[in-house]
Amino acid sequence: MALGVLVDATVVHADRGALGRYVDGLVVALCAAGADLTVACQRSDEERYGRLVPPARVVAGPPAIVHRATRLAWEQTGLPRIAAQVGADVIHLPYYSMPIQAGRPTVVTIHDAAFFTEPEAHNPVQSTYIKSATRTACRRATRLIVPSKATRDDLVRLLGADPTRMDVAYHGVDHDAFHRPSEDERRRLSDRLGLRGRPYIAFLGALEPRKNVPNLIRGWVQAVTRQPDPPVLVLAGSGGWDDEVDSAMATVPLELQVIRPGYLRSSSLPGFFGGALVVALPSRGEGFGLPVLEAMACGAPVLTTRRASLPEVGGDAVAYTEPDAAGIGTALRELIDDGAQRKTLADAAYARSQEFTWATSAEAHLAAYQRAVEQ
């Protein structure tokens, strides 16, 4: 008999950031693996999940849960009620928090421990909430899912979490959505950004301290200042609150160009990643690093750091740098000047990305759900 799984997707934002891509990729693969799936979601996502997972039950929460405080309150009472109505065997909470009285086994995804390791790099209000939710989940969830061994080890070291109640389930990547782009995809993205074929260094992510954007800007300036045709720096992504970004931007010489296009649709990302000279994601640490994997799947040469989980994702298929501006500058300059190395990295990255699938991730999640039920 198929396992009855309720996945709480009400936390997913409309912009389908990394959390949305995790939840969307997972539920599709869970359905394909034969789970008896129910998805709880925002009203605005009801039709979307109906298309994504037609065999699943899709239950929309009340309109008021678009507000975080109301959603968290609803999570405590409304979500367990849905679980009871559909007869779920287990509830999966994909983002830190959980109902205290769930009435059945709970599995919570803890994406990283960065709120404990680098509290200054996060919004204080969000940090307080996530830290409290993480502690609660470590104590009360039936099982925890983590996206990397690095996150598992951090939770054991920092919070004394029980490693026997944790399951590592790497994220996958949608290889249809993230693929080596055609020349037309590259050209359309380049034209949309106003580049008209000019070379560029690509970054994608929120402009928050952990993403290390100020040092990327300074390192890029060091790398390209004396280049005859300096590549543009494109900082894509929605939102963020890193106060140092504007200070770093003030150091950019007039002859260099930075483009900040904001949010890019998922359909634009193969052209964005695959058309870049280098995709630079020099984060100070990630729970997994989904944009690194997605860039690899698009056949891009990727520059990242060895912090936290990133070597688990990149392996030997990406270039690494220290997160300081000088290190980023040196590494970028070497890649800009060495087309053969970029080609080698691009091919290796694409090949390694094929090892990460949502089907494999769903298998690991289903095993965690089964363990939770058996406990």
Side-chain angles (χ1 to χ4, degrees):
M1 190 175 189
L3 198 64
V5 181
L6 169 60
V7 175
D8 178 17
T10 60
V11 73
V12 173
H13 296 295
D15 68 1
R16 320 317 286 189
L19 174 63
R21 298 201 294 281
Y22 163 54
V23 174
D24 290 358
L26 176 63
V27 296
V28 170
L30 288 172
C31 260
D36 180 11
L37 184 67
T38 301
V39 179
C41 65
Q42 299 277 351
R43 287 276 172 97
S44 58
D45 274 338
E46 186 174 13
E47 183 181 345
R48 175 186 177 83
Y49 282 114
R51 292 195 312 269
L52 274 180
V53 284
R57 302 176 198 87
V58 178
V59 182
I65 64 171
V66 295
H67 305 291
R68 189 179 74 175
T70 307
R71 194 202 72 79
L72 289 172
W74 175 86
E75 179 180 86
Q76 297 301 314
T77 56
L79 193 66
R81 193 177 304 122
I82 290 173
Q85 289 170 352
V86 302
D89 297 306
V90 62
I91 304 175
H92 179 197
L93 295 306
Y95 191 73
Y96 298 99
S97 63
M98 60 174 285
I100 302 303
Q101 301 293 334
R104 60 210 62 229
T106 52
V107 177
V108 180
T109 300
I110 304 294
H111 291 272
D112 59 54
F115 293 90
F116 296 92
T117 57
E118 291 190 281
E120 72 285 350
H122 297 88
N123 178 290
V125 174
Q126 184 188 27
S127 182
T128 299
Y129 150 64
I130 294 291
K131 287 162 73 174
S132 175
T134 301
R135 289 191 180 98
T136 299
C138 286
R139 289 196 314 270
R140 306 193 64 140
T142 314
R143 295 197 71 79
L144 301 177
I145 287 176
V146 291
S148 64
K149 295 172 184 174
T151 296
R152 177 197 62 194
D153 294 347
D154 279 345
L155 292 174
V156 172
R157 175 173 56 87
L158 295 167
L159 300 181
D162 180 359
T164 67
R165 290 175 45 243
M166 281 191 268
D167 299 287
V168 176
Y170 290 126
H171 292 340
V173 62
D174 183 339
H175 292 283
D176 292 326
F178 293 90
H179 54 266
R180 282 176 161 159
S182 65
E183 283 304 316
D184 184 59
E185 286 176 303
R186 293 173 187 245
R187 179 189 55 76
R188 281 190 283 112
L189 187 282
S190 179
D191 289 351
R192 180 184 167 190
L193 296 178
L195 291 166
R196 301 290 188 262
R198 287 186 62 192
Y200 63 95
I201 307 298
F203 167 89
L204 178 71
L207 300 183
E208 59 186 33
R210 182 168 51 144
K211 302 301 183 181
N212 203 25
V213 175
N215 277 345
L216 171 58
I217 295 169
R218 297 181 187 108
W220 162 76
V221 169
Q222 293 176 28
V224 306
T225 292
R226 285 180 289 278
Q227 292 278 334
D229 184 18
V232 175
L233 177 62
V234 183
L235 303 174
S238 56
W241 62 281
D242 191 338
D243 297 332
E244 286 191 35
V245 171
D246 289 339
S247 299
M249 287 290 294
T251 69
V252 177
L254 291 176
E255 67 271 17
L256 300 181
Q257 184 179 9
V258 180
I259 295 175
R260 298 168 67 172
Y263 172 75
L264 293 180
R265 291 176 297 177
S266 293
S267 59
S268 299
L269 295 181
F272 180 63
F273 285 141
L277 205 61
V278 177
V279 176
L281 301 165
S283 174
R284 297 183 184 277
E286 297 288 337
F288 178 76
L290 194 54
V292 170
L293 177 59
E294 291 166 343
M296 292 164 64
C298 295
V302 177
L303 175 67
T304 188
T305 68
R306 293 189 184 277
R307 299 298 178 92
S309 64
L310 293 167
E312 294 180 57
V313 178
D316 295 328
V318 302
Y320 293 101
T321 177
E322 288 300 312
D324 61 283
I328 294 169
T330 298
L332 268 181
R333 189 180 307 111
E334 290 174 356
L335 288 171
I336 291 168
D337 291 342
D338 192 341
Q341 174 66 356
R342 294 199 306 274
K343 176 69 164 61
T344 298
L345 285 173
D347 290 343
Y350 180 79
R352 182 171 174 83
S353 76
Q354 304 306 301
E355 301 171 17
F356 294 84
T357 68
W358 284 118
T360 301
S361 185
E363 287 178 13
H365 281 74
L366 283 167
Y369 303 156
Q370 188 62 51
R371 293 185 190 106
V373 171
E374 291 169 357
Q375 284 176 221

